[in-house]
Amino acid sequence: MSERSPDKFARITAVISLVIAIAAVAIPYVQQKAALMQQQEQFDKLHREDVSIKLNPYLKGVIYITGTKLERLGSVVQVPWELTISNTGSRQLSIKNYDLTRGDSPGTTFYSDIDGGLLTLGSQPVGYPIILKPGEMRKFLLFVGITVPDKVVEILKGINEGDNIDREVATAALAKEGLDLYGNEVSYKEFEGGAYFLSVDEKNMNGQRFWCVVHTGRGNSFVVSASEYERPSDNDPLLRDAADRFSGAGRL
């Protein structure tokens, strides 16, 4: 029994030595890998594209009767919305183009004259690419083609301002007939001095949801959604689902 003790001790010593040797190699390797991962995270953060987009349908301006009729969907009338693009990242980026569609998710529905073009706030055509420095924000006019009933078009053409009509003038003219741009029923009342009041019952708030997807020069995509009768919050499931769809190509 005592003769085996030195062998047993030697084996234990060998195992301990092996563990120490492995640790001597593994610990620096793990530390180096952790340092490289941290460096990569810092690099990605510095070079990542971050874009914030807002789409505001409540904008004054001129609406345009396109003359395009889509049978049962109605006629297309282009309305000015405000598109705000902010570079919230730490690197300069370029916007090369965008897509405008309608429906419950991006890309669901597209039709003639849905996109009336992107203009500066001074109504000048936008040149591409749009360059945004870190922290820079720019606002644009995006003409969105909504579909409206024949009755709405008839009232708009009766204003006698041609195909371009001031939105407030159009809103008042339609309200006098008990309608809004989408053909929803509204309540209207006039007061002395030309003032008026209109309201839309909640059950009649039927708008159209549009999606704008902005594409950068580096191949990333960022999405935003809006509807005139619905203000989606950050927790809106439709917007969250769309963000998940584009998570592989960009950030929301």
Side-chain angles (χ1 to χ4, degrees):
M1 188 73 177
S2 59
E3 294 178 357
R4 296 177 183 176
S5 296
D7 293 338
K8 183 177 181 181
F9 178 77
R11 287 196 298 270
I12 293 174
T13 301
V15 169
I16 293 174
S17 299
L18 179 62
V19 170
I20 292 173
I22 293 173
V25 175
I27 290 175
Y29 172 77
V30 171
Q31 290 175 335
Q32 183 181 27
K33 187 174 182 180
L36 289 173
M37 289 179 64
Q38 186 177 15
Q39 291 175 4
Q40 185 63 45
E41 288 176 359
Q42 293 175 347
F43 179 85
D44 291 342
K45 184 176 181 180
L46 288 173
H47 293 80
R48 181 177 61 197
E49 290 186 326
D50 284 315
V51 176
S52 172
I53 318 173
K54 295 181 180 179
L55 197 55
N56 174 24
Y58 312 101
L59 195 67
K60 295 180 180 179
V62 174
I63 65 175
Y64 176 64
I65 303 174
T66 66
T68 299
K69 186 172 175 56
L70 303 174
E71 297 182 353
R72 62 180 182 82
L73 291 176
S75 298
V76 180
V77 173
Q78 292 174 347
V79 183
W81 287 17
E82 184 180 69
L83 175 66
T84 302
I85 306 177
S86 303
N87 182 356
T88 54
S90 57
R91 64 172 301 160
Q92 179 173 289
L93 60 83
S94 64
I95 305 297
K96 64 176 183 179
N97 55 35
Y98 69 94
D99 299 317
L100 182 67
T101 54
R102 179 176 136 188
D104 293 333
S105 61
T108 303
T109 305
F110 183 83
Y111 46 81
S112 299
D113 290 326
I114 188 175
D115 181 9
L118 192 66
L119 304 176
T120 67
L121 293 182
S123 298
Q124 297 299 314
V126 171
Y128 293 96
I130 301 169
I131 306 299
L132 293 176
K133 297 178 181 178
E136 185 177 2
M137 176 193 71
R138 291 185 63 183
K139 295 186 176 183
F140 305 91
L141 291 177
L142 176 63
F143 279 85
V144 176
I146 65 174
T147 53
V148 305
D150 292 340
K151 179 63 175 178
V152 169
V153 175
E154 181 183 332
I155 295 170
L156 293 177
K157 289 185 174 181
I159 297 175
N160 295 323
E161 289 194 5
D163 292 333
N164 295 317
I165 308 168
D166 182 85
R167 186 169 184 174
E168 290 189 316
V169 172
T171 299
L174 288 166
K176 289 180 181 179
E177 302 296 328
L179 298 173
D180 68 1
L181 264 174
Y182 299 94
N184 297 315
E185 294 183 6
V186 304
S187 298
Y188 177 82
K189 185 177 181 180
E190 286 187 342
F191 301 92
E192 291 184 6
Y196 66 88
F197 174 82
L198 67 88
S199 62
V200 184
D201 190 277
E202 187 174 350
K203 68 177 184 295
N204 293 325
M205 292 183 176
N206 300 311
Q208 296 163 16
R209 178 174 291 279
F210 290 86
W211 300 82
C212 183
V213 181
V214 172
H215 306 285
T216 72
R218 292 176 62 85
N220 293 319
S221 298
F222 303 84
V223 60
V224 67
S225 171
S227 173
E228 188 165 351
Y229 280 122
E230 183 179 0
R231 295 182 176 88
S233 68
D234 292 339
N235 295 320
D236 189 306
L238 287 176
L239 195 55
R240 189 168 60 247
D241 290 345
D244 290 341
R245 283 183 55 187
F246 286 89
S247 62
R251 294 170 55 87
L252 180 64

